[in-house]
């Protein structure tokens, strides 16, 4: 869970780092999640998602206006050297 109140940019690690951190033998289609929560009262505060190497953000890249968001990350390539993750 990530909580922000003054705006933030969440830059993902590289897809290679994320795949390496997954338990077992990661495979295409594996999914992990996390939650972004706005902790302040400022409705104009935004959190921005940014992809690291091999990480593609699919859909909105900002989160705010007192909303929480569940973020889904799906492994789209688990082969060493070409790892890729899509974030929804």
């Amino acid at each position: 869970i990530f909580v922000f109140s003054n705006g933030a940019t969440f830059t993902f690690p590289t897809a290679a780092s994320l795949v390496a951190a997954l338990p077992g033998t990661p495979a295409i289609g594996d999914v992990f999640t996390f939650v972004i929560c706005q902790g302040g009262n400022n409705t104009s505060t935004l959190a921005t998602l940014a992809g690291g190497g091999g990480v593609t953000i699919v859909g909105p890249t900002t989160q705010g206006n007192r909303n929480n968001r569940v973020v889904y990350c799906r492994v789209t390539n688990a082969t060493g050297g070409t790892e890729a993750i899509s974030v929804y």
Side-chain angles (χ1 to χ4, degrees):
I1 296 177
F2 294 104
V3 179
F4 70 98
S5 59
N6 294 320
T9 298
F10 298 109
T11 302
F12 283 83
T14 65
S17 296
L18 291 168
V19 169
L22 293 174
T25 303
I28 292 173
D30 285 356
V31 175
F32 59 95
T33 62
F34 65 92
V35 178
I36 297 175
C37 301
Q38 184 179 17
N41 293 321
N42 184 345
T43 59
S44 64
T45 299
L46 296 176
T48 302
L49 298 177
V55 176
T56 302
I57 309 296
V58 179
T61 59
T62 58
Q63 174 65 36
N65 298 326
R66 296 187 190 162
N67 294 318
N68 298 329
R69 177 178 175 184
V70 177
V71 179
Y72 297 89
C73 303
R74 184 172 60 89
V75 176
T76 55
N77 190 339
T79 304
T82 59
E83 295 90 347
I85 292 181
S86 293
V87 177
Y88 303 91

